Amino acid sequence: MGVSPRFRSPKTTDSEVGVKAMTGRWLLSIAAVGNAVLQWVDDYNSTHIFNPAFTAHAKFHDGITISLATILGGLALIYLWRPGYGQERLAVGALFAGVWWAGAACAFLFPGASHRDAQFAADVPHLFGMPIDLRTIVPVMIAVVALGYLLERRRLRAIGRSAPLPRRRSES
């Protein structure tokens, strides 16, 4: 399956615009799926939603967090993969993929806020001595979104798709 010649620069081959060349788009998709899935894994359990020490209001806020992350991840995937994809859809998809992670980074700045309650501190997995929790996941995912956006923007410019694909008129 090739790319229409009108969207290919003279130096671009079909293999360069294929699935393997869409590394940036796939990175953004990983961040979007991370939005949707990681909140369920991290919060829909005994440490948060089913924690009897959590007040109803705290559970309400956790429900907002889980729902918002899922919605943002889903919207990012829609914008990144629906027909008519181009620079504008890339920008919106990257925004949806990254906004939750940016919000999570800002949450560390609130007075008294912590990413993990003290009674669950021992539950943090480590990899090569580094904790694998929001302290590491948030900056990594922000970097993934930024890298994905830059790579995909460069790819779209290389194939001449700086705007969404025009709609084809059906001939009657």
Side-chain angles (χ1 to χ4, degrees):
M1 177 166 98
V3 172
S4 171
R6 64 183 174 178
F7 295 114
R8 184 186 310 141
S9 71
K11 300 176 191 172
T12 307
T13 66
D14 281 347
S15 63
E16 291 172 328
V17 296
V19 173
K20 290 181 181 178
M22 293 191 303
T23 304
R25 199 170 179 185
W26 285 106
L27 287 173
L28 289 168
S29 297
I30 289 168
V33 170
N35 283 351
V37 173
L38 289 177
Q39 283 310 296
W40 287 95
V41 170
D42 201 37
D43 289 7
Y44 202 76
N45 57 45
S46 62
T47 67
H48 287 76
I49 290 293
F50 301 111
N51 184 343
F54 267 36
T55 65
H57 189 69
K59 292 178 181 187
F60 175 79
H61 279 279
D62 202 28
I64 291 171
T65 301
I66 293 170
S67 300
L68 185 59
T70 303
I71 291 166
L72 289 169
L75 286 170
L77 293 172
I78 289 168
Y79 272 83
L80 291 169
W81 294 101
R82 279 192 57 172
Y85 177 74
Q87 288 281 353
E88 186 175 315
R89 288 260 179 106
L90 166 63
V92 174
L95 178 67
F96 283 140
V99 73
W100 190 91
W101 298 108
C106 292
F108 284 104
L109 304 175
F110 283 83
S114 176
H115 66 288
R116 187 168 298 277
D117 290 326
Q119 74 261 32
F120 301 109
D123 295 341
V124 177
H126 286 70
L127 183 64
F128 304 113
M130 297 257 327
I132 305 301
D133 61 9
L134 289 179
R135 293 173 289 180
T136 52
I137 294 172
V138 169
V140 166
M141 294 309 281
I142 289 172
V144 165
V145 169
L147 178 63
Y149 175 75
L150 293 173
L151 289 173
E152 183 64 6
R153 185 179 70 176
R154 183 174 67 179
R155 184 186 78 86
L156 289 176
R157 286 183 178 166
I159 63 172
R161 196 181 294 178
S162 59
L165 291 171
R167 294 186 177 244
R168 293 185 181 205
R169 292 184 183 168
S170 58
E171 298 187 26
S172 326

